Amino acid sequence: MTSNRPDFNFKSSSSTSSRNSDNINTQIRNVDLQPSSSQLSIQSNSWRHSSNLGSRGVRHGSRSGVDSEGFSMSRKEIEIDDDDARLVYVNNPVKTNESFEFSGNSIRTGKYSVITFLPRNLFEQFHRVAYLYFLIIAILNQLPQLAVFGRGASIFPLASVLFVTAVKDGYEDWRRHKSDKIENNRMSYVLVNDRFRQKKCKDIQVGEVVKVSADETIPCDIVLLSTSDPTGVAYIQTINLDGESNLKTRYAKQETLSRVPEKDIISGLIKCEKPNRNIYGFQGNMEIDGKRVSLGPSNIILRGCVIKNTDWAVGVVVYAGRETKAMLNNSGAPSKRSRLETHMNQEIMLLSFFLVTLCVVVSACAGVWLKRHQDELDIMPFYRRKDYSEGQVENYNYYGLGMEIFFTFLMSVIVFQIMIPISLYISMELVRVGQAYFMIRDDKMYDATSNTRFQCRALNINEDLGQIKYVFSDKTGTLTENKMEFQFASISGVDYSGEKTEFYGEEGGYSIQVDGQIWKPKMKVQVDPNLLKLSKSRNDTKSSKDIYDFFLALAACNTIVPIVANTSNPNEKLIDYQGESPDEQALVYAAAAYGFMLIERTSGHIVIDIQGERQRFNVLGMHEFDSDRKRMSVILGYPDSTVKVFVKGADTTMFKVIDESLNLDVVRATETHLHSYSSIGLRTLVVGARALSVSEFDTWQTSYEIASTALMGRAGLLRKVAINLENNLSLLGASAIEDRLQKGVPEAIESLRKANIKVWVLTGDKQETAISIGYSSKLLTSKMTQIVINNNSKMTCQRSLEDALIISRKLINVTHASEDDASSVALIIDGTSLVYILDSDLEEQLFELASKCAVVLCCRVAPLQKAGIVALIKNRTDDMTLAIGDGANDVSMIQMADVGVGISGQEGRQAVMASDFAMGQFRFLVPLLLVHGHWNYQRMAYMILYNFYRNALFVLVLFWYVLYTGFTLTTAITEWSSVLYSIIYTAIPTIVIGILDKDLSRKLLMTYPQLYGSGQRKESYNVKLFWVTMADTLWQSVIAFFIPVLAYWKSDIDSSSLGDLWTLAVVFMVNIHLAMDVIRWTWISHASIWGSIIATCICVVIIDAIPVLPGYWAIFYLASSGLFWVCLAGILIASMIPRFIVKMFMQHCKPCDIQIAREAEKFRNSMEITRSGEIEMNR
Amino acid sequence: MDASTRTKSRSKKPQYSRFTQQELPAWKPILTPKWIITSFVIIAILFTPTGLLCLWASERVVEIIDRYDDDCLPDSYSTDPDSFIQSNNTNKTCVRTLKVPRKMSAPIFIYYQLDNFYQNHRRYVKSRSDKQLRDPDEADETEDCKPINGNDDGPIVPCGLVAWSLFNDTYKFFKGNKAIDIDKKDIAWESDKKYKFGSNVYPKNFQKWELIGGGALDESKPLSEQEDLIVWMKTAALPTFRKLYGKINTDLEANETITVVIQNNYNTYVFGGEKKVALSTANWIGGKNDFFGISFLTIGGVCFFVAINFILLYVLKPRPLGDPSYLSWNRNQGAQ
């Protein structure tokens, strides 16, 4: 297994713990779904609450450098005692379910039944604060003393929202019920009375034995007993579970794989974990025939997986129905709250303060008014406190001054309720859905190679994309393609890195003949003709032998499974090397190209075709990769029964175990080669080997058996065995693999840099590789000063940090003086140093240094350190961070950052599953941030301010009127208009504009990345803008209210007519205000804005055509008078003038970048724009 | 997620449409100096004459207003107006003389104006039953009218505070000794008479019990013909309001003296209100109202002023549109 990348999908040695010691032909397994729950609980505490799905990365978190993995694994094993365990009696469902009733296999993803629908749905809906606020207001309004609005009008808004949501939920649930039914009624074969019979899926019980055929979906979580493969291998595809499409292998235990359930009754007891949602982990053991064998994640197949390349598989059900891991995982990603929304909530607090102030003013005035008229109230014609109708004269509907004030306060809360724009939360959700739709549909973010669209997994942080200041990027698979290609080899000190322009042979690649068929590797590799010639020559020279051993090691020392695939040509077959690690694949393909073709791998042996000659090697043992050793080894038994151990791993750990005395020159030469390889950005591996004598082998075998059967600390013991074996190796050579940069990465980084976004690269690769990738991706330039921090203790770290700070300060001062910003500082720091810096008092210094640097490159970092670096910035600044990565090792950083982006690439889907947004290529980050992020931010920021204004304006108009009604909260505007105001009159345009408006074109935003700065500087939403908006609102409300009042003072106008005038005036104002700020008028914007004005008029007419309402026919009398129209025109013009003047003045005197860019787009021809863009580039 | 949906054959490439790529054709207006100045000038040009027109129209309206509540209170009752107005034995007739300042051509509208009367008070507005007014069968719908809703003898029609407080001062106009006809027909909205007040609903038990709030109603006339009530029940929006009393269909000449004989029945003394009688001609602007003229002239003037300032600004401190050198990152570099 590859090892130059410690954070890669390495295998845990603990997974070998289930190996049976009796069996010398140890199984080789591709443990891709790793156990991890044990670490999660310990390590994720300090981080964001992370889902188990993403835990694969978290588990590597051994900050101190001591690998705690093995220990915790074994601890976990012991911990399964009877209380915590689930006992499953194989093929005995009755006994299994005797003491505990395990859940059956019928699933119910539907949330509701017919009876529970109403209460449950309502309960869930009222979890949202917005609805609760509506509800409380509506309940208050139902008290007779407070009945400001009629029953209907007060409940209508809440009821309509609830109804729409309920219908939507109901429909979704109905569809879930339908699919549940199909799922539950699927047939599968279950062992009943020693014969496999068809049974409905929902009737399967825990403990039963089921049989699944090829291409069938697994109905529940089963522990494999046997498969059609004699070695007990089953291949599965987990695409339904985690989206990974490559085949994975699962193994039946040695003890059970030979038994045929129909004839040979299997009975045993499985003890395993309680159901949990970790799809990458499983712990348990099986007692069978008096022996206890342990079970791991490689022995279980989960519900939803599909059996491939295996005729049948038989397994015992351990988890069924809703307890299956797939079902337990049916929940979304953790939700984040956007920065803008957080700021908005502060302003909403201010608005609540305004609301309370208004209410206090009204109730205080009402108190004063009542006090002043205390004596007159009894018979005052419009108050009439005394009730004379009964014999005894009493106060009617009057509860004393204090209570009246209190009631007035509550009533004013009801009347002014929309001061707090609760509907804004609902509108924001709609807008985000719309924005997400456009991001997903953007064909410039579609990746053709992986056939993936952009994915919006989190729906509530769209606008954060417009304010990013730091991008933390993984390297492999993110900046690079993660498609490994074998490039160079250094074999026993000879560098084979000559020209490689041609493919081998005329047929294009190496091939072999098998039964008259031609077998070819699926991927072609460029070869060095020189090396090829040598590898084919079969003379007995030392170098020829070394080459033989080198390629044999490449072909054998891995966990790749060759799968023979058919082609359109019946005489031609392709060998597809399936495996988790792209590095291993590349090495095996390379070996095949040089004539060492791996054609078969079973648990006990491998078959390699060496230069047309088939050879079979016994695999006597294997020590899988772990992050401590950073190497793996395989023990091969040659056909002539000699035994050799091959080791492959990272140079740092390999050179420690290589016996330099054997050939010092070769070692030195290889080291030089390695350095030159990594300095051009290649990934390197060192290969070594040693012949084992019989006694050595026996010693190893005994200790290996002891270790693998140990009950405690098995992983640690196995590692010790491996370390004892892997020493005194002779150096065979080194390989260099190229991981090519993704398309468009340098340009993307250049754009991001211009947009004033700091790009930090965090990689597990070694320093030279990281730096060379840095150069090729234009992250580093030759003008930059590099500060390298590479220390082994806290003291030295501190010293170099201090030095670096001094240097960087000096450099920055020089830069200021010389007016040349090209000579900036790049910081390169490695994981070892970070161990001493992060979480210590040195963090502050690192932060100070890093914030001075234009580029930061962290190499050799562990996954949790990645998260630590993100946290370093996130906790100390207000700047938005974005983390982008593709692998499991990036999960912690993706979850830590404000915005997490996953690349759906070669390394599986865990990064995507933990991310907020997912896409196919790194370069899509540019349109995502610069275009969509910018738009989303501008739209959302404007929408929030506009909604504040819209609601406050209406409330203020109501408030002014209250001052003229003896402070009694009468509204001239009819209650229905107040209700419809935020539902029909003004709701749609703001949502439409929030989804569709574009301040600048895509082209312009891409040409001038600097325009992104407006989001970083919070130009579109800040406290100042809030106050300006509120001042404008105040002015507009004064105009809207007082122009009609002064016009109709001392006239015979009735309240309904004046109310209609105010309704229309406010709605017109609000829509025209919006229209003034719309930048792009598409037909949809026209339709929504003018449409809602028309809709308002229609609604007002309808309301005034209902005879029982007091305002019957008012609008018609009103509209027939000239005064009304003059009034309306006056209001609209007078209210907009100050705003217009200020806007125009600012536009002229202090134009923002967006303004200038808009003007340039419209008035300067494209030539000019591009030219100035070029000047920009040359600067 | 079926495996087949993931096969390469079915590309997930989003289908191109101008909508999904956010490239719908759009009008992108930018307010250039030319546009800004033009719009301000246009507003100024539109509003200044309109303002003048309003002032002129308002000027043409002839209005006579006379406050009589204090003057019609005999001196002996000035400290206790309530007992004067509540007593049945006091003489409430009051004679006022008005001088016509300019010629008033018919129709001349007679209004009564009340000040400080909150017809929009929440208690007051709610205290009515529109159902009862429309339909004789719903006479019992008096829940909202409490406490003026009736008793065991039956419901009050029309019930509630609004009807109870019906204005009941009466005016008679004399030119010399000759009475001027007051046309009291069609002073209410046609729609109210037709649909809101039933032609088969008759007043019942109105102002019969307890406290008398205001005018009584002729029980033989259906509500739809009680136009004074209909006018009164159209509650005013503001605490100072006028309501139409009637119309005079003859011209009044300049400097004529008119005698008004007022029955001072209505109690505004209890809450410190004022009563006025107003005679006014009308045109398109309604009654006399200088507010519009002034405010429109102000708007026009401000816009004109702003336009001139903007012109000066553009001349003195021009900024080429879309000049990249104004972009922040270019500016900053220049500054260093």
Side-chain angles (χ1 to χ4, degrees), chain A residues 47-48 54 57-58 862-868 870 888-897 914:
Chain A
W47 306 116
R48 176 201 305 284
V58 180
L864 222 72
Q865 285 181 327
K866 290 187 177 183
V870 176
N889 54 326
D890 305 316
V891 166
S892 54
M893 129 175 128
I894 284 173
Q895 289 180 336
M896 170 57 77

Side-chain angles (χ1 to χ4, degrees), chain A residues 633-648:
Chain A
S633 54
V634 61
I635 296 145
L636 283 191
Y638 279 59
D640 60 3
S641 70
T642 52
V643 177
K644 235 178 178 179
V645 57
F646 290 95
V647 188
K648 160 179 121 234

Side-chain angles (χ1 to χ4, degrees), chain A residues 418-672:
Chain A
I418 62 163
M419 188 73 179
I420 298 177
I422 289 297
S423 58
L424 175 58
Y425 288 101
I426 297 158
S427 311
M428 278 169 83
E429 273 176 41
L430 289 173
V431 166
R432 283 174 183 145
V433 169
Q435 292 174 344
Y437 172 86
F438 284 120
M439 287 196 273
I440 292 165
R441 292 297 172 112
D442 187 350
D443 60 4
K444 296 189 182 57
M445 294 203 288
Y446 164 77
D447 181 26
T449 46
S450 60
N451 191 25
T452 46
R453 286 183 185 185
F454 181 79
Q455 279 181 57
C456 265
R457 295 176 47 83
L459 263 181
N460 39 5
I461 54 170
N462 289 351
E463 58 273 16
D464 277 356
L465 292 173
Q467 295 186 287
I468 301 295
K469 271 201 178 160
Y470 286 90
V471 167
F472 298 92
S473 173
D474 175 39
K475 187 184 80 69
T476 312
T478 307
L479 297 177
T480 63
E481 282 182 343
N482 204 12
K483 276 187 186 149
M484 307 299 165
E485 210 165 274
F486 180 81
Q487 289 290 340
F488 308 136
S490 156
I491 302 169
S492 46
V494 185
D495 178 20
Y496 297 96
S497 54
E499 279 295 302
K500 285 185 290 185
T501 44
E502 45 178 310
F503 288 116
Y504 171 73
E506 281 69 47
E507 327 89 281
Y510 183 79
S511 61
I512 54 161
Q513 297 270 333
V514 179
D515 306 332
Q517 288 175 326
I518 298 168
W519 286 21
K520 278 189 197 167
K522 199 176 164 197
M523 246 173 51
K524 289 167 191 164
V525 183
Q526 285 181 315
V527 291
D528 183 338
N530 206 1
L531 181 59
L532 186 67
K533 219 186 285 160
L534 284 170
S535 71
K536 292 188 86 172
S537 66
R538 314 235 33 202
N539 48 22
D540 248 4
T541 60
K542 165 98 173 61
S543 74
S544 171
K545 254 187 170 163
D546 282 339
I547 291 170
Y548 179 90
D549 278 349
F550 180 75
F551 283 116
L552 183 63
L554 292 193
C557 187
N558 54 52
T559 55
I560 294 291
V561 181
I563 286 171
V564 181
N566 293 324
T567 59
S568 49
N569 183 354
N571 290 327
E572 207 176 289
K573 300 240 169 162
L574 287 181
I575 300 186
D576 184 5
Y577 291 123
Q578 285 265 357
E580 269 297 288
S581 146
D583 296 65
E584 286 196 343
Q585 282 177 338
L587 291 179
V588 178
Y589 278 119
Y594 285 102
F596 293 74
M597 194 191 279
L598 177 71
I599 50 178
E600 192 183 329
R601 178 187 289 275
T602 66
S603 34
H605 68 270
I606 52 173
V607 176
I608 301 177
D609 185 290
I610 299 173
Q611 310 298 1
E613 188 184 316
R614 277 194 169 211
Q615 296 211 25
R616 186 187 152 114
F617 299 90
N618 285 327
V619 180
L620 302 175
M622 179 179 277
H623 287 284
E624 298 193 36
F625 183 85
D626 70 50
S627 56
D628 241 25
R629 284 157 54 231
K630 293 201 175 101
R631 55 182 183 251
M632 75 168 288
S633 54
V634 61
I635 296 145
L636 283 191
Y638 279 59
D640 60 3
S641 70
T642 52
V643 177
K644 235 178 178 179
V645 57
F646 290 95
V647 188
K648 160 179 121 234
D651 48 3
T652 46
T653 56
M654 283 300 285
F655 280 116
K656 285 179 199 156
V657 294
I658 278 168
D659 189 354
E660 295 191 352
S661 61
L662 286 179
N663 200 339
L664 194 62
D665 294 345
V666 172
V667 173
R668 292 284 165 264
T670 311
E671 275 179 345
T672 326

Side-chain angles (χ1 to χ4, degrees), chain A residues 240 383-384 396 441 446 451 453 939 961 969-970 998 1047 1080-1081 1109 1147-1148 1153 1159 1162, chain B residues 1 11-12 21-22 24 27-28 120 122-123 164 196 237 289 314 317 319 322 326 328 333:
Chain A
N240 288 348
Y383 201 93
R384 260 304 291 275
Y396 171 73
R441 292 297 172 112
Y446 164 77
N451 191 25
R453 286 183 185 185
R939 290 164 175 168
Y961 186 63
L969 298 157
T970 321
K998 286 161 56 177
R1080 281 171 57 94
W1081 284 91
L1109 295 179
Q1147 228 175 59
H1148 182 75
D1153 294 345
E1159 290 170 1
K1162 184 152 177 169
Chain B
M1 267 200 288
S11 169
K12 288 207 265 180
Q21 299 311 309
Q22 307 192 55
L24 283 177
W27 174 57
K28 287 168 275 183
N120 56 15
R122 161 156 220 98
R123 261 174 107 95
W164 173 78
K196 275 188 88 87
N289 192 342
Y314 294 135
K317 208 185 152 199
R319 174 174 76 83
Y326 279 85
S328 64
Q333 278 185 349

Side-chain angles (χ1 to χ4, degrees), chain A residues 263-275:
Chain A
K263 296 170 199 148
D264 189 1
I265 296 163
I266 304 174
S267 62
L269 172 64
I270 292 177
K271 210 190 253 186
C272 58
E273 303 169 300
K274 286 254 162 72

